[in-house]
Amino acid sequence: MRRRTKVLIGSAVALVLIGGAVAIAGPIVYRDVIAKPADAVPTISAGPGTLSSTPTGRLSAADVDGVWSVGSGSEAGYRVNEVLNGTDVTVTGRTSEVTGSLTVQDLTLTKADLSVDVASIATDSQNRDDYFRSTALRTDRFPKATFVLTKAAKPAAAPKAGETVKQSVTGDLTLAGKTRSVTFEVEVRSDSSQTQIAGQIPITFADYGVEAPSLGFVKVEPKGFVEFQLLAHKG
């Protein structure tokens, strides 16, 4: 009887220890094994397409002035951190449903009007996407996120054709029906017919009336990023 009691006690202790290990390791396993790896932070090197033609030397107004259309080959979405039982899991959502236009005059970006179909943004989880669309951003009422340039953006010097440069940009970002002024940095690479733009816009969800969900064991941090890789064609 004593031997059997010791075995039972030992088994119970082992189960408790295993259960504790699963509770601790489970989120790590989910992050490192089960969950889809987060997409890379947008950069020109990771961006869509390649430049179609490369004039020599520095770009002139004749090379880039005009209206540029943003569309096929572009991508936008978000990056957030979910905290799962104390373990951070980075989540990215993406959509290719991005449209808009850019206007350049005297090598200066004077106008930008961009739109993203937020209802089409998808991650690796249907449940997460359903919450994002129905509760967080209420895409039935606000199906689009938009950005409108409010301050002309002029480079310090005319960039070389095919050269990646950084530029500060200011404009109005609208999410879930709320508009806020944002200033952020982008990477830009251009030639006479194609321009690539990549960047992140840091946001606080509460600024846009979006409540970061908390489901007990899963909590989304209150800040994140709007991310984009744009491909624009002249004409």
Side-chain angles (χ1 to χ4, degrees), residues 3 18 39 46 60 62 65 76 78 106 110-111 118 121-122 134 144 174 178 183-184 195 204 206 213-214 220:
R3 178 178 177 81
I18 292 172
D39 291 310
S60 67
D65 279 9
Y78 67 85
D106 294 329
T110 60
K111 184 178 180 180
V118 292
I121 294 175
S134 64
K144 304 288 185 180
T174 300
K178 299 285 186 181
T183 298
F184 54 98
T195 294
T204 299
S214 177
V220 175

Side-chain angles (χ1 to χ4, degrees), residues 72-101:
S72 178
S74 298
E75 188 176 72
Y78 67 85
R79 177 180 302 269
V80 298
N81 279 336
E82 293 179 343
V83 182
L84 179 62
N85 284 344
T87 299
D88 284 345
V89 180
T90 300
V91 173
T92 50
R94 295 289 186 263
T95 180
S96 60
E97 298 297 319
V98 184
T99 58
S101 63

Side-chain angles (χ1 to χ4, degrees), residues 6-215:
K6 289 180 180 179
V7 170
L8 290 174
I9 292 173
S11 298
V13 171
L15 287 173
V16 169
L17 292 175
I18 292 172
V22 170
I24 295 171
I28 298 175
V29 172
Y30 171 78
R31 180 192 65 192
D32 296 341
V33 179
I34 299 175
K36 174 187 173 183
D39 291 310
V41 173
T43 63
I44 289 298
S45 60
T50 57
L51 297 178
S52 55
S53 61
T54 306
T56 58
R58 295 191 178 277
L59 293 169
S60 67
D63 293 322
V64 297
D65 279 9
V67 178
W68 296 71
S69 296
V70 175
S72 178
S74 298
E75 188 176 72
Y78 67 85
R79 177 180 302 269
V80 298
N81 279 336
E82 293 179 343
V83 182
L84 179 62
N85 284 344
T87 299
D88 284 345
V89 180
T90 300
V91 173
T92 50
R94 295 289 186 263
T95 180
S96 60
E97 298 297 319
V98 184
T99 58
S101 63
L102 311 169
T103 301
V104 179
Q105 184 176 356
D106 294 329
L107 292 174
T108 301
L109 180 64
T110 60
K111 184 178 180 180
D113 195 340
L114 304 171
S115 178
V116 178
D117 178 11
V118 292
S120 65
I121 294 175
T123 68
D124 62 337
S125 169
Q126 185 64 51
N127 289 336
R128 182 192 295 117
D129 295 343
D130 289 343
Y131 179 90
F132 176 85
R133 294 163 185 161
S134 64
T135 305
L137 292 186
R138 294 152 287 161
T139 57
D140 57 331
R141 294 173 56 196
F142 311 109
K144 304 288 185 180
T146 62
F147 173 80
V148 177
L149 187 75
T150 57
K151 181 180 179 181
K154 183 175 183 178
K160 295 179 181 178
E163 176 187 20
T164 298
V165 298
K166 294 184 178 181
Q167 177 69 53
S168 179
V169 176
T170 297
D172 287 339
L173 176 67
T174 300
L175 289 173
K178 299 285 186 181
T179 301
R180 296 287 183 269
S181 178
V182 292
T183 298
F184 54 98
E185 190 174 74
V186 297
E187 289 185 344
V188 183
R189 182 168 65 185
S190 185
D191 62 16
S192 59
S193 63
Q194 185 170 285
T195 294
Q196 298 166 301
I197 305 171
Q200 290 182 314
I201 306 175
I203 64 169
T204 299
F205 295 122
D207 290 345
Y208 298 90
V210 175
E211 182 177 351
S214 177
L215 305 177

